[in-house]
Amino acid sequence: MSFAYGREPALEDVSLRIAPGEFVALVGPNGSGKSTLVKLLLGALTPGAGEVRVFGDSPAKLHERWRLGYVPQRPVLASEVPATVEEIVQTGLLSRRGWWRPLTRADREAAHHALESVGLESLAMRPLNELSGGQQQRAFIARAFASEPDLLVLDEPIAGVDAESQRRFRDALVHAATEHGAAVFLVSHELSAVAADLDRVIVLKRRVLFDGPATDLTASGVSLGVHREDLPLWLEGLR
């Protein structure tokens, strides 16, 4: 698959596949095409050459939208919106049950389970805007979990959050992959929290430069743990 903004190539001959239950991280320097790849995966862009398939269909034609969960880097919620954490998580069920149907007991149990998976069940009735940045991000991850998606896409979800939220984040993603069989596609520069759990790391710089086990990458001298000093510098030096 290839894509260009006008005459400026963004992705060239990118080919990759993610299997059910697989935990895959995508890394690359700034401007490498990571955000473009996510937009193509979500159906917000159309490739100029080649094709994108999600569960066998074009993303734009995907009928069961609940099967694809997405967590953006910083979801925006107006500070004056008085929604509770539980209410925000319950909105994740809309794509599966429809907005016109009242919540059932099973729906409420699914939302509660999603909150438990990110360690926020004790804060369910708190207004979301009273939570820390890390807690808010975990709430949006729970919202994506609520519909029990088959593929979970996360775009820089832990940028700037505290260490405790990163640990909870890691536990939630491992839970999604191992307990629910969901594939996880994580776009991030910060892999220290999940480095030991990854099945594959994909390194992108317009093309796929590496696609394999995290251990193969670390064996070449790249430390995924010391991300602030090591991984970004290595990525920026890629040719």
Side-chain angles (χ1 to χ4, degrees):
M1 175 200 67
S2 298
F3 181 85
Y5 293 101
R7 296 185 177 181
E8 184 65 28
L11 296 171
E12 295 183 78
D13 298 323
V14 171
S15 181
L16 59 92
R17 180 185 179 91
I18 302 174
E22 199 170 23
F23 193 167
V24 180
L26 176 70
V27 300
N30 293 330
S32 62
K34 300 189 301 297
S35 295
T36 299
L37 182 59
V38 170
K39 291 175 182 177
L40 287 158
L41 178 59
L42 297 175
L45 295 174
T46 303
E51 63 180 5
V52 180
R53 295 288 178 186
V54 180
F55 313 121
D57 290 322
S58 166
K61 296 180 180 179
L62 184 63
H63 295 295
E64 297 176 314
R65 298 299 301 181
W66 61 267
R67 298 185 67 191
L68 177 58
Y70 174 56
V71 181
Q73 180 172 352
R74 280 294 181 191
V76 177
L77 183 72
S79 60
E80 64 271 15
V81 175
T84 66
V85 174
E86 182 180 59
E87 288 169 339
I88 291 296
V89 173
Q90 288 172 351
T91 64
L93 297 163
L94 295 177
S95 61
R96 187 163 190 168
R97 67 176 179 82
W99 61 266
W100 61 90
R101 295 175 181 155
L103 286 173
T104 65
R105 179 177 179 179
D107 291 333
R108 296 184 189 280
E109 289 176 351
H112 182 74
H113 179 67
L115 282 167
E116 284 184 324
S117 71
V118 298
L120 287 180
E121 66 275 14
S122 64
L123 301 177
M125 305 312 296
R126 287 272 299 276
L128 184 74
N129 56 23
E130 292 183 2
L131 271 57
S132 69
Q135 290 171 331
Q136 288 186 21
Q137 192 69 341
R138 280 155 52 197
F140 284 108
I141 292 172
R143 181 179 66 172
F145 280 0
S147 66
E148 297 185 354
D150 293 320
L151 171 61
L152 185 62
V153 180
L154 306 103
D155 188 4
E156 298 283 359
I158 56 173
V161 305
D162 57 272
E164 172 62 16
S165 288
Q166 289 195 32
R167 184 184 67 80
R168 294 278 194 172
F169 163 82
R170 174 264 172 200
D171 293 344
L173 294 190
V174 171
H175 174 83
T178 59
E179 299 298 324
H180 296 280
V184 177
F185 189 54
L186 170 66
V187 182
S188 180
H189 280 112
E190 303 183 27
L191 299 183
S192 55
V194 298
D197 306 291
L198 293 171
D199 294 307
R200 287 161 53 209
V201 176
I202 297 171
V203 178
L204 183 72
K205 189 170 184 180
R206 191 183 296 176
R207 300 173 181 266
V208 174
L209 302 183
F210 174 87
D211 184 351
T215 51
D216 288 359
L217 198 58
T218 55
S220 67
V222 180
S223 171
L224 301 182
V226 192
H227 56 82
R228 291 186 181 279
E229 298 177 2
D230 196 334
L231 185 58
L233 290 177
W234 180 78
L235 291 171
E236 292 298 335
L238 289 175
R239 296 290 184 269

